[in-house]
Amino acid sequence: MSVSDQKKKQIVEAAIAEFQEKGYAGASMDRISERAQVSKRTVYNHFESKDVLFRAINQCLADQINSALELSYDPDLPIRDALVRLGWAEGELMINPCFMSLARMIMSETIRDPELAADMNARMTKLVVFAEFIERATKEGKLKAEDPAVAAEQFLGLIKSRAFFPNIYAARVPDREEIGKIIEESVDLFLARYGVASVAKTAAE
């Protein structure tokens, strides 16, 4: 890592700590430079304003989310195993203390700023990835989802409603066993609605 990249990393880490402690409105570029142990000029050389710096941190979060979803669809896996694997693409983030801390800080600001929330949402591709997975599984006859985009939202909602939001509000990081149980139960509920066997059974009745 170059000296410039190292200083940029220090600034971002210092800014995350500052925003967490003071919020966006109360954060100070002076304090960020002090925390990062670099000059204020160095901070502005990398980030021309507090808004630019905050949006760079948002991009860091989006990058973590999007990179976690870089998994290929495996047509040879049983659909339940494939859905569990997909669920863990989200679950791995939730057991990561750094991710949860960063997500908590950014969520507190996006609630107050609809434009920032929309910008953050546009940077993330998770729903697209989940919808493509469900659409492909439906085409292969493994699922029965009339609207893959809606089904993707429901699948994510099953996981996040128990694994993400309660822990964000409680400022805690769940353990792997807890998340694993939530993912397994979410997959079973999802299959009860969209699984081909359950659809066939309902039609027969």
Side-chain angles (χ1 to χ4, degrees):
M1 184 181 292
S2 69
V3 172
S4 178
D5 287 342
Q6 178 60 41
K7 289 186 182 297
K8 185 176 182 179
K9 181 174 180 289
Q10 289 171 219
I11 294 166
V12 169
E13 290 174 349
I16 291 171
E18 176 74 4
F19 287 130
Q20 284 177 330
E21 185 177 316
K22 305 293 184 180
Y24 178 83
S28 159
M29 293 292 266
D30 287 336
R31 282 195 301 269
I32 289 171
S33 68
E34 291 173 6
R35 286 177 185 264
Q37 298 183 326
V38 300
S39 69
K40 190 173 178 180
R41 181 178 179 179
T42 299
V43 173
Y44 281 106
N45 282 341
H46 286 284
F47 304 99
E48 62 187 41
S49 68
K50 184 168 71 171
D51 181 66
V52 170
L53 177 52
F54 189 76
R55 290 179 186 276
I57 294 172
N58 284 357
Q59 188 60 54
C60 287
L61 182 69
D63 289 345
Q64 287 186 48
I65 292 170
N66 294 336
S67 65
L69 293 172
E70 290 178 358
L71 71 166
S72 58
Y73 178 87
D74 186 349
D76 295 327
L77 272 181
I79 189 58
R80 188 180 186 282
D81 293 345
L83 285 167
V84 168
R85 181 169 175 256
L86 184 65
W88 268 112
E90 184 81 2
E92 290 289 353
L93 295 171
M94 296 174 194
I95 60 175
N96 183 323
C98 293
F99 172 84
M100 292 294 280
S101 179
L102 187 57
R104 187 177 302 112
M105 183 273 291
I106 290 177
M107 276 186 63
S108 68
E109 297 302 325
T110 55
I111 289 171
R112 291 193 283 269
D113 187 342
E115 183 180 334
L116 181 62
D119 176 68
M120 186 64 190
N121 190 54
R123 296 170 188 259
M124 296 187 292
T125 60
K126 68 164 74 175
L127 271 177
V128 173
V129 172
F130 277 60
E132 288 175 349
F133 175 101
I134 292 168
E135 182 177 17
R136 182 165 176 183
T138 296
K139 287 179 178 178
E140 293 181 358
K142 297 176 180 178
L143 293 175
K144 187 76 171 179
E146 301 81 6
D147 190 332
V150 170
E153 289 182 358
Q154 292 170 337
F155 183 59
L156 266 172
L158 285 170
I159 296 172
K160 293 182 70 172
S161 64
R162 295 175 60 202
F164 180 70
F165 291 112
N167 292 307
I168 282 288
Y169 301 144
R172 68 179 291 267
V173 178
D175 60 35
R176 180 171 290 274
E177 183 178 355
E178 179 183 346
I179 294 299
K181 185 173 186 292
I182 290 171
I183 290 172
E184 296 270 349
E185 291 173 352
S186 297
V187 167
D188 288 339
L189 279 169
F190 186 80
L191 285 174
R193 169 62 180 85
Y194 291 110
V196 172
S198 65
V199 171
K201 180 180 178 181
T202 301
E205 293 174 348

